[in-house]
Amino acid sequence: SLEKDRIVMSYDKDADTVYISFGKPRKAISEEIDPYVIVRRDPKTKEMVGITITNFSKYFETKKRLSIETPAS
C-alpha cells in the first residue's frame, strides 16, 4: 500500500529536476512514461515508489498542471 503520509518531494534547481518519493527510499526500476516523466516502481510488486520529472520548468510551461497517468499493472 502507498504510504500517503510519507511523500518526499525535492527540487534540484541546477538540474531543473523534481524528485518525488513515496514512503522509504528503496530499490526501483525506472520506466519513462513521457519525455520528461520517469516513474520508479518496485521490481517485485510493480508498486509506484517514486516519480522523477526532468526539465521541470519547461514541463510546467506546457502542461500547466501535473497529471500523471500510470498504466494499470
Coordinates of all heavy atoms in Angstrom, one line a residue:
S1 N 0.8 -1.2 0.0 CA 0.0 0.0 0.0 C 0.9 1.2 0.0 O 1.9 1.3 0.6 CB -0.9 0.0 1.2 OG -0.1 0.1 2.4
L2 N 0.4 2.3 -0.7 CA 1.2 3.5 -0.8 C 1.1 4.2 0.6 O 0.1 4.4 1.1 CB 0.5 4.4 -1.8 CG 1.3 5.4 -2.6 CD1 2.4 4.7 -3.4 CD2 0.4 6.2 -3.5
E3 N 2.3 4.6 1.0 CA 2.4 5.4 2.3 C 2.1 6.8 2.0 O 3.0 7.6 1.8 CB 3.8 5.2 2.9 CG 4.2 3.8 3.4 CD 5.6 3.8 3.9 OE1 5.8 4.5 4.9 OE2 6.4 3.2 3.2
K4 N 0.8 7.2 2.0 CA 0.5 8.5 1.6 C 0.9 9.6 2.6 O 1.1 10.7 2.3 CB -1.1 8.6 1.4 CG -1.5 7.8 0.1 CD -2.9 8.3 -0.3 CE -3.2 7.8 -1.7 NZ -3.2 6.4 -1.8
D5 N 1.1 9.1 3.8 CA 1.6 10.1 4.8 C 3.1 10.4 4.7 O 3.6 11.3 5.3 CB 1.3 9.5 6.2 CG 2.1 8.1 6.4 OD1 2.2 7.4 5.4 OD2 2.5 7.8 7.6
R6 N 3.8 9.8 3.8 CA 5.2 10.0 3.7 C 5.6 10.2 2.2 O 6.1 9.4 1.5 CB 5.9 8.8 4.2 CG 7.4 8.9 4.2 CD 8.0 8.9 5.7 NE 9.3 9.6 5.7 CZ 10.4 9.2 5.0 NH1 10.3 8.1 4.3 NH2 11.5 9.8 5.1
I7 N 5.2 11.4 1.7 CA 5.6 11.8 0.4 C 6.7 12.8 0.5 O 6.5 13.9 1.1 CB 4.4 12.3 -0.4 CG1 3.4 11.2 -0.6 CG2 4.9 12.9 -1.8 CD1 2.1 11.7 -1.3
V8 N 7.9 12.5 -0.1 CA 9.0 13.4 0.0 C 9.2 14.0 -1.4 O 9.3 13.2 -2.4 CB 10.3 12.7 0.5 CG1 11.5 13.6 0.5 CG2 10.1 12.0 1.8
M9 N 9.3 15.3 -1.5 CA 9.5 16.0 -2.7 C 10.7 16.9 -2.7 O 10.8 17.6 -1.7 CB 8.2 16.8 -3.0 CG 8.0 17.0 -4.5 SD 6.3 17.8 -4.7 CE 6.6 18.6 -6.2
S10 N 11.6 16.8 -3.6 CA 12.7 17.7 -3.6 C 12.9 18.2 -5.0 O 12.6 17.6 -6.0 CB 14.0 17.1 -3.1 OG 14.3 15.9 -3.8
Y11 N 13.5 19.4 -5.1 CA 13.7 20.1 -6.4 C 15.2 20.4 -6.5 O 15.8 21.1 -5.6 CB 12.9 21.3 -6.5 CG 13.1 22.1 -7.8 CD1 12.9 21.6 -9.0 CD2 13.5 23.4 -7.7 CE1 13.1 22.3 -10.2 CE2 13.8 24.2 -8.9 CZ 13.6 23.6 -10.1 OH 13.8 24.3 -11.3
D12 N 15.8 20.0 -7.6 CA 17.2 20.3 -7.9 C 17.2 21.4 -8.9 O 16.9 21.2 -10.1 CB 18.0 19.1 -8.4 CG 19.4 19.4 -8.7 OD1 19.8 20.5 -9.0 OD2 20.2 18.4 -8.6
K13 N 17.5 22.7 -8.5 CA 17.3 23.8 -9.3 C 18.3 23.8 -10.5 O 18.0 24.1 -11.6 CB 17.6 25.1 -8.5 CG 17.2 26.4 -9.2 CD 17.1 27.6 -8.3 CE 16.7 28.8 -9.0 NZ 17.8 29.8 -9.1
D14 N 19.6 23.4 -10.2 CA 20.6 23.3 -11.3 C 20.2 22.3 -12.3 O 20.4 22.6 -13.5 CB 22.0 23.0 -10.7 CG 22.5 24.1 -9.7 OD1 22.1 25.3 -9.9 OD2 23.2 23.8 -8.8
A15 N 19.7 21.2 -11.9 CA 19.3 20.2 -12.9 C 17.9 20.4 -13.4 O 17.4 19.7 -14.3 CB 19.4 18.8 -12.2
D16 N 17.1 21.3 -12.8 CA 15.7 21.5 -13.1 C 14.9 20.2 -13.1 O 14.2 19.9 -14.0 CB 15.6 22.2 -14.5 CG 14.2 22.8 -14.7 OD1 13.5 23.1 -13.7 OD2 13.7 23.0 -15.8
T17 N 15.1 19.5 -12.0 CA 14.5 18.2 -11.8 C 13.8 18.1 -10.5 O 14.4 18.5 -9.5 CB 15.6 17.1 -12.0 OG1 16.2 17.2 -13.3 CG2 15.0 15.7 -11.8
V18 N 12.6 17.5 -10.5 CA 11.9 17.2 -9.3 C 11.9 15.7 -9.0 O 11.7 14.9 -9.9 CB 10.4 17.7 -9.4 CG1 9.6 17.2 -8.2 CG2 10.4 19.3 -9.4
Y19 N 12.2 15.4 -7.7 CA 12.1 14.0 -7.3 C 11.0 13.9 -6.3 O 11.0 14.6 -5.3 CB 13.5 13.6 -6.6 CG 14.7 13.9 -7.5 CD1 15.4 15.1 -7.4 CD2 15.1 13.0 -8.4 CE1 16.5 15.3 -8.2 CE2 16.2 13.2 -9.3 CZ 16.9 14.4 -9.1 OH 18.0 14.6 -9.9
I20 N 10.1 12.9 -6.5 CA 9.1 12.6 -5.6 C 9.2 11.2 -5.2 O 9.3 10.3 -6.0 CB 7.7 12.9 -6.2 CG1 7.6 14.3 -6.8 CG2 6.5 12.6 -5.2 CD1 6.4 14.5 -7.7
S21 N 9.2 10.9 -3.8 CA 9.3 9.6 -3.3 C 8.1 9.3 -2.4 O 7.7 10.1 -1.7 CB 10.6 9.4 -2.5 OG 11.7 9.6 -3.3
F22 N 7.6 8.1 -2.5 CA 6.5 7.6 -1.7 C 7.1 6.6 -0.7 O 7.6 5.6 -1.1 CB 5.4 6.9 -2.5 CG 4.9 7.8 -3.6 CD1 5.1 7.4 -4.9 CD2 4.2 8.9 -3.4 CE1 4.6 8.1 -6.0 CE2 3.8 9.7 -4.4 CZ 4.0 9.3 -5.7
G23 N 7.0 6.9 0.6 CA 7.5 6.0 1.6 C 9.0 6.0 1.7 O 9.7 7.0 1.2
K24 N 9.6 5.0 2.2 CA 11.0 4.9 2.4 C 11.7 4.7 1.1 O 11.2 4.0 0.2 CB 11.3 3.7 3.3 CG 10.9 3.9 4.8 CD 11.3 2.8 5.7 CE 10.5 1.5 5.5 NZ 9.1 1.7 5.9
P25 N 12.9 5.3 0.9 CA 13.6 5.0 -0.4 C 13.9 3.5 -0.5 O 14.2 2.9 0.5 CB 14.9 5.8 -0.2 CG 14.6 6.8 0.8 CD 13.6 6.2 1.7
R26 N 13.8 3.0 -1.7 CA 14.1 1.6 -1.9 C 14.4 1.3 -3.3 O 14.3 2.2 -4.2 CB 12.9 0.7 -1.5 CG 11.6 1.1 -2.1 CD 10.4 0.4 -1.4 NE 9.3 1.3 -1.4 CZ 8.0 0.9 -1.4 NH1 7.7 -0.4 -1.3 NH2 7.0 1.8 -1.4
K27 N 14.9 0.1 -3.6 CA 15.3 -0.2 -5.0 C 14.1 -0.1 -5.9 O 13.0 -0.5 -5.5 CB 15.8 -1.7 -5.0 CG 17.3 -1.8 -4.5 CD 17.9 -3.1 -5.0 CE 19.3 -3.2 -4.6 NZ 19.6 -4.3 -3.7
A28 N 14.4 0.4 -7.1 CA 13.3 0.5 -8.0 C 13.8 0.4 -9.4 O 15.0 0.6 -9.7 CB 12.6 1.9 -7.8
I29 N 12.9 0.1 -10.3 CA 13.2 0.1 -11.8 C 12.5 1.4 -12.3 O 11.4 1.7 -11.9 CB 12.7 -1.2 -12.5 CG1 11.3 -1.5 -12.1 CG2 13.7 -2.3 -12.2 CD1 10.8 -2.7 -12.9
S30 N 13.2 2.0 -13.3 CA 12.6 3.2 -13.9 C 11.9 3.0 -15.2 O 12.4 2.1 -16.0 CB 13.8 4.2 -14.1 OG 14.4 4.6 -12.9
E31 N 10.8 3.7 -15.4 CA 10.0 3.5 -16.6 C 9.7 4.9 -17.1 O 9.0 5.7 -16.4 CB 8.8 2.7 -16.2 CG 7.7 2.6 -17.3 CD 6.4 2.0 -16.7 OE1 6.4 1.5 -15.6 OE2 5.4 2.1 -17.5
E32 N 10.1 5.2 -18.3 CA 9.9 6.6 -18.8 C 8.5 6.6 -19.4 O 8.2 5.8 -20.3 CB 10.9 6.9 -19.9 CG 11.0 8.3 -20.3 CD 12.1 8.7 -21.2 OE1 13.3 8.6 -20.7 OE2 11.9 9.0 -22.3
I33 N 7.6 7.4 -18.9 CA 6.2 7.4 -19.4 C 5.9 8.6 -20.3 O 4.9 8.6 -21.0 CB 5.1 7.3 -18.2 CG1 5.3 8.5 -17.3 CG2 5.2 6.0 -17.5 CD1 4.1 8.7 -16.3
D34 N 6.8 9.5 -20.3 CA 6.8 10.6 -21.4 C 8.2 11.2 -21.4 O 9.0 10.8 -20.6 CB 5.6 11.5 -21.2 CG 5.8 12.7 -20.3 OD1 6.9 13.1 -20.0 OD2 4.8 13.4 -20.0
P35 N 8.5 12.1 -22.3 CA 9.9 12.6 -22.4 C 10.4 13.2 -21.1 O 11.6 13.3 -21.0 CB 9.8 13.6 -23.5 CG 8.6 13.2 -24.4 CD 7.6 12.6 -23.4
Y36 N 9.6 13.7 -20.2 CA 10.0 14.3 -19.0 C 9.8 13.6 -17.7 O 10.3 13.9 -16.7 CB 9.3 15.7 -18.8 CG 9.6 16.7 -19.9 CD1 8.5 17.3 -20.6 CD2 10.9 17.1 -20.2 CE1 8.8 18.2 -21.6 CE2 11.1 18.0 -21.2 CZ 10.1 18.6 -21.9 OH 10.3 19.5 -22.9
V37 N 8.9 12.6 -17.8 CA 8.5 11.9 -16.6 C 9.0 10.5 -16.5 O 8.7 9.7 -17.4 CB 6.9 12.0 -16.4 CG1 6.5 11.3 -15.1 CG2 6.5 13.4 -16.4
I38 N 9.6 10.2 -15.4 CA 10.1 8.8 -15.1 C 9.4 8.3 -13.9 O 9.4 9.0 -12.8 CB 11.6 8.8 -14.9 CG1 12.3 9.2 -16.2 CG2 12.1 7.3 -14.5 CD1 13.7 9.8 -16.0
V39 N 8.7 7.2 -14.0 CA 8.1 6.5 -12.8 C 9.0 5.5 -12.3 O 9.6 4.7 -13.1 CB 6.7 5.9 -13.2 CG1 6.2 5.0 -12.1 CG2 5.7 7.0 -13.6
R40 N 9.2 5.4 -11.0 CA 10.0 4.4 -10.4 C 9.1 3.4 -9.7 O 8.2 3.8 -8.9 CB 11.0 5.1 -9.4 CG 11.9 6.0 -10.2 CD 12.9 6.8 -9.3 NE 13.8 5.8 -8.6 CZ 13.8 5.6 -7.3 NH1 13.0 6.2 -6.5 NH2 14.7 4.7 -6.9
R41 N 9.3 2.1 -10.0 CA 8.5 1.0 -9.5 C 9.3 0.0 -8.7 O 10.5 -0.3 -9.1 CB 7.8 0.3 -10.6 CG 6.7 1.1 -11.3 CD 6.0 0.3 -12.3 NE 5.1 1.1 -13.1 CZ 3.9 1.5 -12.7 NH1 3.5 1.1 -11.5 NH2 3.1 2.2 -13.5
D42 N 8.7 -0.6 -7.7 CA 9.3 -1.7 -7.0 C 9.4 -2.9 -8.0 O 8.4 -3.2 -8.6 CB 8.4 -2.1 -5.8 CG 8.9 -3.3 -5.0 OD1 9.1 -4.4 -5.6 OD2 9.2 -3.1 -3.8
P43 N 10.6 -3.5 -8.2 CA 10.7 -4.5 -9.2 C 9.8 -5.7 -9.0 O 9.4 -6.4 -9.9 CB 12.2 -4.9 -9.1 CG 12.9 -4.0 -8.1 CD 11.8 -3.2 -7.4
K44 N 9.5 -6.0 -7.7 CA 8.7 -7.2 -7.4 C 7.2 -6.9 -7.5 O 6.5 -7.7 -8.2 CB 9.0 -7.7 -6.0 CG 10.4 -8.4 -5.9 CD 10.6 -9.1 -4.6 CE 12.0 -9.7 -4.4 NZ 13.0 -8.7 -4.0
T45 N 6.8 -5.9 -6.9 CA 5.3 -5.6 -6.8 C 4.8 -4.7 -7.9 O 3.6 -4.6 -8.1 CB 5.0 -5.0 -5.4 OG1 5.6 -3.7 -5.4 CG2 5.4 -5.8 -4.2
K46 N 5.7 -4.1 -8.6 CA 5.4 -3.1 -9.6 C 4.7 -1.8 -9.0 O 4.2 -1.0 -9.7 CB 4.5 -3.7 -10.7 CG 5.1 -4.8 -11.4 CD 6.3 -4.5 -12.3 CE 6.9 -5.6 -13.0 NZ 8.2 -6.0 -12.6
E47 N 4.6 -1.7 -7.7 CA 4.1 -0.6 -7.0 C 4.9 0.6 -7.3 O 6.1 0.6 -7.3 CB 4.1 -0.9 -5.5 CG 3.5 0.2 -4.7 CD 3.8 0.0 -3.2 OE1 4.4 -1.0 -2.8 OE2 3.3 0.9 -2.4
M48 N 4.3 1.8 -7.5 CA 5.0 3.0 -7.8 C 5.6 3.5 -6.5 O 4.9 3.7 -5.5 CB 4.0 4.1 -8.3 CG 4.7 5.3 -8.9 SD 3.7 6.3 -9.9 CE 2.2 6.4 -9.1
V49 N 6.9 3.7 -6.5 CA 7.6 4.2 -5.3 C 8.1 5.6 -5.5 O 8.6 6.2 -4.5 CB 8.8 3.2 -4.9 CG1 8.2 1.9 -4.6 CG2 9.9 3.1 -6.0
G50 N 8.1 6.1 -6.7 CA 8.6 7.5 -6.9 C 8.4 8.0 -8.3 O 8.0 7.2 -9.2
I51 N 8.6 9.3 -8.5 CA 8.4 9.9 -9.8 C 9.5 10.9 -9.9 O 9.9 11.6 -9.0 CB 7.1 10.7 -9.9 CG1 5.9 9.7 -9.7 CG2 6.9 11.4 -11.2 CD1 4.6 10.4 -9.4
T52 N 10.2 11.0 -11.1 CA 11.2 12.0 -11.4 C 10.7 12.8 -12.6 O 10.2 12.2 -13.6 CB 12.5 11.3 -11.7 OG1 12.9 10.5 -10.6 CG2 13.6 12.3 -12.0
I53 N 10.7 14.1 -12.5 CA 10.3 15.0 -13.6 C 11.5 15.8 -14.0 O 12.0 16.6 -13.2 CB 9.2 15.9 -13.2 CG1 8.0 15.0 -12.7 CG2 8.7 16.7 -14.4 CD1 6.9 15.9 -12.0
T54 N 12.0 15.6 -15.2 CA 13.2 16.4 -15.7 C 12.6 17.6 -16.4 O 11.5 17.7 -16.8 CB 14.0 15.5 -16.6 OG1 13.2 15.1 -17.7 CG2 14.6 14.3 -15.8
N55 N 13.5 18.6 -16.7 CA 13.1 19.8 -17.3 C 11.8 20.4 -16.8 O 10.9 20.7 -17.5 CB 12.9 19.6 -18.9 CG 14.2 19.2 -19.5 OD1 15.2 20.0 -19.6 ND2 14.3 17.9 -19.9
F56 N 11.8 20.4 -15.4 CA 10.6 20.7 -14.7 C 9.9 22.0 -15.1 O 8.7 22.0 -15.3 CB 10.9 20.7 -13.2 CG 9.7 20.9 -12.3 CD1 8.7 19.8 -12.2 CD2 9.4 22.0 -11.6 CE1 7.6 20.0 -11.4 CE2 8.3 22.2 -10.8 CZ 7.4 21.1 -10.7
S57 N 10.7 23.1 -15.2 CA 10.0 24.3 -15.5 C 9.4 24.3 -16.9 O 8.4 24.9 -17.2 CB 11.0 25.5 -15.3 OG 12.2 25.3 -16.0
K58 N 10.1 23.7 -17.9 CA 9.6 23.6 -19.2 C 8.3 22.7 -19.2 O 7.4 23.0 -19.9 CB 10.6 23.0 -20.2 CG 11.8 23.9 -20.5 CD 12.6 23.3 -21.7 CE 13.9 24.0 -21.9 NZ 14.8 23.9 -20.8
Y59 N 8.4 21.6 -18.5 CA 7.2 20.7 -18.4 C 6.0 21.5 -17.9 O 4.9 21.3 -18.5 CB 7.6 19.6 -17.4 CG 6.5 18.5 -17.3 CD1 6.5 17.5 -18.2 CD2 5.6 18.5 -16.2 CE1 5.5 16.5 -18.1 CE2 4.7 17.5 -16.1 CZ 4.6 16.5 -17.0 OH 3.7 15.5 -16.9
F60 N 6.2 22.3 -16.9 CA 5.0 23.0 -16.4 C 4.6 24.2 -17.3 O 3.4 24.5 -17.3 CB 5.3 23.5 -14.9 CG 4.7 22.5 -14.0 CD1 5.5 21.4 -13.6 CD2 3.4 22.6 -13.5 CE1 5.0 20.5 -12.7 CE2 2.9 21.7 -12.6 CZ 3.7 20.6 -12.2
E61 N 5.5 24.7 -18.1 CA 5.1 25.7 -19.0 C 4.1 25.2 -20.0 O 3.1 25.8 -20.4 CB 6.3 26.2 -19.8 CG 6.9 27.4 -19.2 CD 8.3 27.7 -19.9 OE1 8.4 27.5 -21.2 OE2 9.2 28.2 -19.3
T62 N 4.3 23.9 -20.4 CA 3.4 23.3 -21.4 C 2.2 22.6 -20.8 O 1.1 22.6 -21.3 CB 4.2 22.3 -22.3 OG1 4.8 21.3 -21.5 CG2 5.3 23.0 -23.1
K63 N 2.4 21.9 -19.7 CA 1.4 21.1 -19.1 C 0.5 21.9 -18.1 O -0.7 21.6 -17.9 CB 2.0 20.0 -18.2 CG 2.8 19.0 -19.0 CD 2.0 18.0 -19.8 CE 2.9 17.0 -20.4 NZ 2.4 16.2 -21.4
K64 N 1.0 23.0 -17.5 CA 0.3 23.8 -16.6 C -0.2 23.1 -15.3 O -0.3 23.7 -14.2 CB -1.0 24.5 -17.2 CG -0.7 25.4 -18.3 CD 0.1 26.6 -17.9 CE 0.4 27.6 -19.1 NZ 1.7 28.1 -19.0
R65 N -0.4 21.8 -15.3 CA -0.7 21.1 -14.1 C -0.1 19.7 -14.2 O 0.2 19.2 -15.3 CB -2.2 21.0 -13.9 CG -2.9 20.2 -14.9 CD -4.4 20.4 -14.8 NE -5.1 19.5 -15.8 CZ -5.5 18.3 -15.4 NH1 -5.4 17.8 -14.2 NH2 -6.1 17.5 -16.4
L66 N 0.1 19.1 -13.1 CA 0.7 17.8 -13.0 C -0.4 16.7 -13.1 O -1.2 16.6 -12.2 CB 1.5 17.6 -11.7 CG 2.3 16.3 -11.6 CD1 3.3 16.2 -12.8 CD2 3.1 16.4 -10.3
S67 N -0.4 16.0 -14.2 CA -1.3 14.9 -14.4 C -0.6 13.7 -14.8 O -0.1 13.6 -16.0 CB -2.4 15.3 -15.4 OG -3.2 14.2 -15.7
I68 N -0.4 12.7 -14.0 CA 0.4 11.6 -14.3 C -0.5 10.4 -14.4 O -1.1 9.9 -13.5 CB 1.5 11.3 -13.2 CG1 2.5 12.5 -13.3 CG2 2.2 10.0 -13.5 CD1 3.6 12.5 -12.3
E69 N -0.5 9.8 -15.7 CA -1.3 8.6 -15.9 C -0.4 7.5 -15.8 O 0.7 7.4 -16.4 CB -1.8 8.7 -17.4 CG -2.5 9.9 -17.8 CD -3.9 10.0 -17.1 OE1 -4.5 8.9 -16.9 OE2 -4.3 11.1 -16.8
T70 N -0.7 6.5 -14.9 CA 0.1 5.3 -14.8 C -0.6 4.2 -15.3 O -1.8 3.9 -14.9 CB 0.5 5.1 -13.3 OG1 -0.7 5.0 -12.5 CG2 1.4 6.2 -12.7
P71 N 0.0 3.4 -16.2 CA -0.7 2.2 -16.7 C -1.0 1.3 -15.6 O -0.2 1.1 -14.7 CB 0.4 1.6 -17.7 CG 1.5 2.7 -17.8 CD 1.4 3.5 -16.6
A72 N -2.2 0.7 -15.7 CA -2.7 -0.3 -14.7 C -1.8 -1.5 -14.8 O -1.4 -2.0 -15.9 CB -4.1 -0.7 -14.9
S73 N -1.3 -2.0 -13.6 CA -0.4 -3.1 -13.6 C -1.2 -4.4 -13.6 O -2.3 -4.5 -13.3 CB 0.6 -3.1 -12.5 OG 0.0 -2.6 -11.3

